[in-house]
């Protein structure tokens, strides 16, 4: 009996029902969850209507602490959108919250055509439509959540004044049905001069159409500008028009003879090219079909993408958290080209996307390069390749890669060089259908452009960005090193090994801001000295502090741990770090409500304690994410925060930008099937998995037992099976062997004759150090040791971990 009980706790399937522990004790409960009553998991699992588990309210209420980085809400919106939609037609409340909708405000101010989900600053919200009574514009209309109807691809509400609203959308257009109470004139306002930020516009009213444009911009107080054109066609002529025109009066009130049914239907197309483009988008995508069909098509599109990750078992609430997060992760980037392929480039010229492909916009680069773009590449590789091509085209038309782009312009917001990292990562996941050589060429050129890389001169000569640069030099150094690593991987995949080696050496620049004495990454002055320091101080870092940023060396975790004093020292520091999970940027603990901490739980796997990763990931997922309106720990940031929740529930994470290995924790669900969209599938079984049954005792990969808490790039590309044996008690020995740790990628040894494809970094006197890295700058004060980055001591690495690093790893002293 003791033995049987122990095996059952460890999640081993015994006869009947062990797989049912997560969903109930009867065969009926197991069948309802997609699990076989016989206790064996099928090769694949499916989910019939995953859209039914999406709660678009999640992220619309500020229940998380406001840490000063965009508020305490997810800043999402609840309205109608299809995946990567250009039109995202959503209600806006009087109380503004980034995203446009505050759950606790029962006053609707309009239905704007464009949105961004989860940003920490405002933009879009262009051209709100608002049904009113008796041709009388109002600042707002009261409503109740009880009278709202939310679903992926559609939105509906009945206002307290009796007006009914139903919206459904296609990629670039929408359809609205407005129902008016008897005894009132049916009217509608269209405001082309309004958006979330300062805006202007123009509109033209004809017998049954309203067309025009809205000029908006000003994201995070920057100077970005764009123009959104629209064309609205109504199913009945106007009975009265309160004329509009140019800003500041680019608003019209139109009235209708609503007839006995009291219903008016509007079809609206948008475009970033022209009014004619908006009209063509509308006609091409709707072709006169009724609202019900548009709504059904939108839901079917969502079910296609959401269903590419099918989970079985778990509670209804757990499935809601999962599919809502997956939904939010697939709202952006947004399709930007018209149905004919035209779109405005960053240079203002009209361009045309490749035939059969779309151009994308709205890249929250600093956020989404960490795990959201990987999720898209995993389940939607065709779309991911188009996104990478769009990034390439942005760099081509702008002359550099911006960090945070909106429509056809850069904002310069945040730090680092993330857009090339995104494209390189897409390529690593096998989505290679874009001009990768051009991307690499443009990214290399941009390394010398201060618009793309502020402080690049110091980074390429001294090996770090000084603290004086933007006050965020330490974090900028880490971000540049990460991008250099990702581009080195892309260069390797393209056969450009000279570029690979040079960039890999740059990727070791993190060592130049790592202080051997404190064993933290710290800001550093241009003279090489270390300013006063405390691990909890945010100075020198973007939205974080030294305690949080020190872990951001994803490509060389082993080198980082060596510098910290070894694996045991790293584990001790991680244990202290996760004393709090969402402490903000002024405490020396984790800040999982913001991006810089998101990779850190998985660092345990590199240090030989994947059981700790399993615990922290599950605790974070179950305590920071819920299926309620306040169910996010911070800004969703165009899907990045939600993508983390998806990966956490799958029990895997893309730790290294530019690579496609996945570091493992444990799945939240007993069975998962991931369909990659281009053929391969990944099947995961974890009998008994639950919020408490989280610890791995054994794993079989493709039927073979393994102690490795990670899977290879090859596995991710071709698919396979993962069979977990789980328990509610830790098993510290599993995955603890150093030979089983996920791979790290230190730089190559120096090659004296290796050519520098773009430039060779040098110090102020033009000299290069003996290992290919810069010597200390001559301005360094005497006695100050400026550590050149260099390869760490060679490690014994199994051949399967070497991947495509085709150079020998030299033993170099520390």
């Amino acid at each position: 009996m003791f033995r049987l009980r122990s095996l059952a706790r460890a999640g081993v399937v015994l006869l009947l029902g062990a797989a049912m522990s997560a969903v109930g004790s009867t065969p009926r409960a197991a069948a309802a969850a997609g699990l076989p009553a016989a206790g064996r998991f099928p090769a694949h699992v499916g989910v019939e209507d995953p859209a039914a588990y999406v709660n678009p309210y999640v992220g619309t209420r500020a229940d998380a602490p406001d840490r000063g980085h965009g508020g305490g809400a997810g800043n999402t919106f609840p309205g109608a959108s299809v995946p990567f939609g250009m039109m995202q037609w959503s209600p806006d409340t009087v109380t503004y919250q980034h995203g446009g909708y505050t759950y606790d405000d029962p006053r609707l101010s309009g239905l704007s055509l464009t949105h961004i989900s989860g940003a920490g600053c405002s933009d879009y919200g262009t051209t709100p439509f608002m049904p009113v009574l008796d041709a009388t514009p109002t600042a707002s209309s009261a409503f109740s959540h009880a009278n709202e109807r939310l679903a992926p691809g559609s939105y509906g509400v009945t206002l307290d004044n009796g007006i009914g609203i139903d919206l459904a959308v296609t990629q670039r257009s929408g359809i609205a049905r407005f129902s008016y109470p008897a005894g009132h004139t049916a009217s509608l306002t269209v405001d082309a001069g309004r958006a979330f930020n300062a805006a202007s516009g123009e509109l033209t009213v004809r017998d049954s159409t309203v067309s025009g444009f809205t000029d908006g911009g000003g994201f995070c107080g920057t100077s970005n500008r764009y123009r959104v054109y629209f064309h609205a066609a109504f199913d009945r002529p106007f009975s009265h028009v309160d004329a509009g025109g140019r800003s500041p009066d680019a608003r019209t009130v139109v009235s209708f003879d609503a007839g006995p049914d009291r219903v008016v239907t509007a079809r609206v197309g948008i475009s970033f090219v022209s009014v004619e483009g908006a009209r063509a988008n509308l006609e091409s995508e709707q072709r006169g079909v009724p609202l019900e069909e548009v709504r059904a098509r939108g839901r079917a599109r969502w079910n296609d993408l959401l269903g590419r990750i099918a989970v079985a078992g778990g509670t209804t609430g757990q499935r809601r958290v999962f599919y809502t997060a997956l939904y939010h992760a697939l709202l952006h980037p947004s399709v930007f080209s018209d149905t004919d392929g035209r779109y405005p480039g960053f240079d203002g010229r009209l361009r045309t996307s490749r035939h059969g492909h779309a151009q994308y916009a709205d890249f929250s680069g600093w956020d989404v390069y960490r795990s959201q773009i990987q999720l898209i590449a995993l389940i939607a590789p065709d779309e991911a390749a188009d996104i990478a091509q769009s990034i390439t085209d942005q760099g081509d038309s702008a002359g550099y890669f911006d960090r945070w782009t909106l429509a056809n312009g850069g904002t310069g917001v945040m730090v680092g060089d993330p857009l090339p990292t995104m494209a390189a990562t897409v390529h690593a996941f096998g989505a290679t259908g874009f001009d990768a050589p051009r991307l690499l060429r443009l990214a290399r050129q941009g390394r010398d452009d201060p618009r793309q890389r502020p402080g690049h001169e110091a980074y390429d000569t001294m090996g770090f960005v000084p603290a004086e640069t933007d006050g965020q030099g330490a974090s900028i150094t880490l971000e540049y090193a990460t991008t250099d690593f990702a581009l080195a991987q892309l260069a390797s995949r393209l056969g450009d090994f000279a570029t690979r080696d040079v960039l890999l050496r740059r990727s070791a620049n993190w060592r130049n801001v790592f202080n051997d004495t404190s064993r933290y990454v710290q800001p550093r002055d241009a003279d090489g000295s270390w300013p006063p320091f405390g691990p909890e101080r945010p100075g020198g870092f973007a939205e974080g502090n030294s305690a949080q940023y020190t872990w951001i060396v994803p490509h060389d975790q082993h080198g980082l741990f060596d510098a910290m004093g070894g694996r045991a020292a790293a584990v001790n520091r991680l244990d202290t770090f996760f004393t709090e999970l969402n402490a903000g940027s002024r405490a020396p603990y984790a800040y999982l409500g913001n991006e810089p901490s998101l990779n850190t739980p998985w660092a345990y796997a590199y240090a030989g304690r994947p059981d700790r990763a399993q615990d922290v990931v599950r605790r974070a997922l179950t305590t920071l994410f819920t299926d309620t309106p306040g169910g996010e720990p911070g800004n969703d940031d165009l899907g990045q925060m939600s993508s983390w929740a998806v990966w956490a529930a799958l029990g895997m994470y893309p730790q290294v930008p530019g690579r496609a290995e996945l570091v493992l924790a444990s799945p939240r669900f007993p069975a998962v099937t991931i369909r990659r969209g281009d053929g391969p599938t990944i099947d995961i079984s974890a009998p008994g998995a639950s919020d408490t049954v989280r610890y791995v005792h054994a794993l079989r990969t493709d039927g073979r037992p393994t102690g490795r808490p990670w899977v290879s790039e090859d596995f991710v590309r071709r698919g396979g099976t993962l069979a977990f044996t789980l328990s509610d008690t830790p098993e510290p020995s599993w995955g603890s062997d150093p030979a089983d740790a996920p791979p790290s990628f230190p730089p190559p040894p120096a090659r004296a004759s290796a050519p520098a494809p773009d430039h060779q970094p040098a110090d102020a006197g033009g000299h290069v150090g003996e290992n290919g890295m810069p010597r200390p700058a001559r301005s360094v004060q005497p006695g100050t040791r400026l550590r050149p980055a260099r390869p760490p001591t060679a490690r014994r690495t199994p051949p399967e971990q070497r991947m495509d690093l085709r150079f020998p790893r030299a033993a170099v002293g520390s």
Side-chain angles (χ1 to χ4, degrees):
M1 289 298 295
F2 175 78
R3 183 171 183 272
L4 287 176
R5 226 179 293 149
S6 298
L7 287 173
R9 285 185 66 196
V12 177
V13 180
L14 298 174
L15 301 178
L16 296 174
M20 294 184 274
S21 61
V23 294
S25 59
T26 66
R28 174 178 292 180
L35 305 177
R40 288 204 307 268
F41 287 87
H44 303 301
V45 296
V47 57
E48 184 176 345
D49 186 21
Y53 293 107
V54 173
N55 179 2
Y57 283 133
V58 170
T60 62
R61 186 166 65 195
D63 281 357
D66 185 353
R67 306 297 190 184
H69 300 133
N75 293 341
T76 57
F77 61 84
S81 177
V82 295
F84 315 117
M86 176 189 289
M87 175 176 279
Q88 297 177 329
W89 205 352
S90 184
D92 304 317
T93 55
V94 173
T95 301
Y96 177 76
Q97 185 166 276
H98 303 317
Y101 185 96
T102 302
Y103 183 84
D104 292 326
D105 186 353
R107 300 166 298 165
L108 187 67
S109 63
L111 305 157
S112 54
L113 302 178
T114 56
H115 290 78
I116 46 176
S117 178
C121 295
S122 60
D123 215 326
Y124 282 154
T126 58
T127 325
F129 284 52
M130 186 66 181
V132 296
L133 300 176
D134 304 320
T136 304
T138 61
S140 66
S141 294
F143 74 101
S144 168
H145 296 308
N147 294 321
E148 284 186 296
R149 302 171 294 279
L150 279 65
S154 64
Y155 172 83
V157 65
T158 300
L159 304 176
D160 288 1
N161 62 13
I163 296 176
I165 301 169
D166 284 288
L167 307 176
V169 294
T170 65
Q171 199 82 65
R172 304 167 179 85
S173 73
I175 181 171
R177 179 188 295 145
F178 304 110
S179 304
Y180 295 87
H184 296 275
T185 301
S187 303
L188 179 84
T189 65
V190 181
D191 194 343
R194 184 172 141 204
F196 291 155
N197 296 334
S200 60
E202 179 178 332
L203 55 76
T204 301
V205 183
R206 293 191 170 85
D207 290 344
S208 61
T209 64
V210 181
S211 301
F213 61 82
T214 300
D215 289 329
F219 181 75
C220 279
T222 62
S223 59
N224 71 297
R225 302 298 295 173
Y226 54 80
R227 174 171 289 184
V228 184
Y229 297 90
F230 70 94
H231 174 77
F234 296 84
D235 67 342
R236 57 190 69 225
F238 305 135
S239 61
H240 176 78
V241 174
D242 180 6
R246 281 192 171 274
S247 180
D249 300 314
R251 182 178 75 167
T252 188
V253 182
V254 295
S255 299
F256 310 86
D257 178 0
D261 63 357
R262 311 298 300 160
V263 172
V264 175
T265 298
R267 299 177 187 272
V268 184
I270 64 171
S271 167
F272 288 84
V273 174
S274 64
V275 168
E276 292 73 20
R279 182 187 298 111
N281 289 340
L282 169 62
E283 293 172 353
S284 174
E285 294 187 347
Q286 290 195 27
R287 299 185 183 277
V289 301
L291 184 145
E292 288 77 11
E293 185 169 342
V294 174
R295 182 164 54 202
R297 290 178 180 177
R299 191 181 185 98
R301 176 59 178 149
W302 274 116
N303 276 334
D304 172 38
L305 273 189
L306 295 174
R308 294 186 189 181
I309 306 182
V311 301
T315 67
T316 298
Q318 290 165 356
R319 292 193 291 274
R320 283 178 181 154
V321 169
F322 180 81
Y323 281 111
T324 301
L326 185 55
Y327 166 81
H328 281 140
L330 298 173
L331 286 170
H332 296 293
S334 307
V335 166
F336 190 60
S337 52
D338 286 351
T339 53
D340 65 2
R342 293 191 302 162
Y343 67 94
F346 276 45
D347 54 5
R349 295 170 45 208
L350 282 183
R351 296 168 175 256
T352 303
S353 61
R354 298 174 299 166
H355 180 70
H357 299 266
Q359 183 75 11
Y360 287 78
D362 306 335
F363 294 112
S364 180
W366 183 82
D367 304 287
V368 302
Y369 87 82
R370 303 167 197 268
S371 67
Q372 188 255 2
I373 191 63
Q374 291 90 331
L375 184 60
I376 295 174
L378 182 73
I379 66 172
D382 290 343
E383 288 83 352
D386 282 354
I387 289 168
Q389 184 63 50
S390 300
I391 290 171
T392 305
D393 293 339
Q394 282 189 8
D396 187 40
S397 64
Y400 76 106
F401 291 105
D402 197 85
R403 292 170 288 286
W404 215 115
T405 66
L406 194 74
N408 60 316
T411 69
V413 170
M414 302 310 297
V415 301
D417 191 7
L419 265 63
T421 309
M422 293 170 62
T425 302
V426 163
H427 196 279
F429 271 78
T432 58
F434 69 100
D435 191 347
R438 183 158 66 105
L439 181 282
L440 179 62
R441 183 170 63 254
L442 292 169
R444 283 170 47 198
Q445 293 170 0
R447 294 180 78 260
D448 294 327
D449 192 321
R451 296 172 299 174
Q452 182 170 324
R453 287 200 175 194
H456 72 87
E457 301 94 339
Y459 177 83
D460 285 333
T461 56
M462 296 187 295
F464 66 95
V465 178
E468 299 90 330
T469 303
D470 249 0
Q472 299 172 330
S475 57
I476 295 173
T477 300
L478 297 180
E479 298 277 0
Y480 289 171
T482 297
T483 295
D484 284 343
F485 175 81
L487 291 174
Q489 298 306 294
L490 180 61
S492 182
R493 297 177 206 282
L494 298 177
D496 185 350
F497 303 119
T499 294
R500 176 202 62 187
D501 288 1
V502 169
L503 293 177
L504 278 175
R505 293 188 185 97
R506 305 297 183 274
S507 76
N509 276 352
W510 65 270
R511 291 176 171 271
N512 292 323
V513 289
F514 187 92
N515 189 328
D516 287 334
T517 301
S518 69
R519 292 185 172 175
Y520 279 95
V521 167
Q522 295 181 211
R524 196 166 196 181
D525 287 338
D527 64 4
S529 62
W530 304 100
F533 161 77
E536 76 288 349
R537 293 183 182 180
F541 301 93
E543 298 189 359
N545 58 36
S546 175
Q548 294 153 3
Y549 268 90
T550 293
W551 304 103
I552 304 182
V553 186
H555 51 286
D556 194 6
Q557 294 278 274
H558 294 309
L560 174 66
F561 296 169
D562 286 350
M564 285 180 171
R567 300 197 326 161
V571 169
N572 288 336
R573 284 180 59 168
L574 286 168
D575 289 346
T576 301
F577 187 68
F578 288 112
T579 299
E580 296 184 39
L581 296 178
N582 194 23
S585 62
R586 296 180 179 273
Y589 305 115
Y591 183 14
L592 292 175
N594 204 15
E595 278 68 26
S597 289
L598 292 184
N599 75 315
T600 313
W602 313 87
Y604 275 117
Y606 294 80
R609 291 304 303 268
D611 60 310
R612 302 281 178 89
Q614 296 149 21
D615 176 60
V616 171
V617 169
R618 192 62 50 83
R619 282 196 289 119
L621 181 60
T622 57
T623 60
L624 300 181
F625 295 87
T626 69
D627 63 343
T628 65
E632 293 201 54
N635 299 164
D636 200 63
D637 287 318
L638 280 70
Q640 169 55 32
M641 191 62 64
S642 285
S643 75
W644 189 93
V646 172
W647 288 111
L650 297 176
M652 51 180 61
Y653 194 74
Q655 183 79 342
V656 185
R659 302 285 305 180
E661 292 89 0
L662 298 176
V663 181
L664 302 179
S666 63
R668 191 182 196 184
F669 298 97
V672 180
T673 293
I674 302 169
R675 295 171 173 83
R676 292 219 49 198
D678 56 358
T681 61
I682 298 172
D683 289 293
I684 303 170
S685 67
S690 69
D691 286 349
T692 56
V693 179
R694 66 181 70 168
Y695 298 104
V696 179
H697 280 223
L699 173 65
R700 287 180 174 269
T701 301
D702 293 335
R704 295 183 296 274
T706 181
R708 299 197 323 188
W710 62 283
V711 293
S712 68
E713 288 191 324
D714 183 60
F715 178 92
V716 172
R717 292 192 191 116
R718 62 173 169 77
T721 61
L722 296 173
F724 288 87
T725 298
L726 301 181
S727 172
D728 59 2
T729 58
E731 177 46 78
S733 65
W734 185 84
S736 63
D737 190 328
D740 287 332
S744 283
F745 304 94
R751 291 180 179 176
S753 61
D758 37 19
H759 64 268
Q760 186 76 5
D763 61 53
H767 300 291
V768 177
E770 62 186 10
N771 62 348
M773 295 305 297
R775 292 192 182 114
R778 292 182 178 176
S779 60
V780 173
Q781 296 175 349
T784 301
R785 179 173 177 243
L786 184 62
R787 299 177 68 249
R790 58 185 178 273
T793 302
R795 299 175 191 86
R796 183 171 174 272
T797 306
E800 63 270 24
Q801 294 186 24
R802 295 190 186 120
M803 305 304 166
D804 50 10
L805 297 181
R806 302 178 190 174
F807 43 78
R809 297 185 177 182
V812 179
S814 60

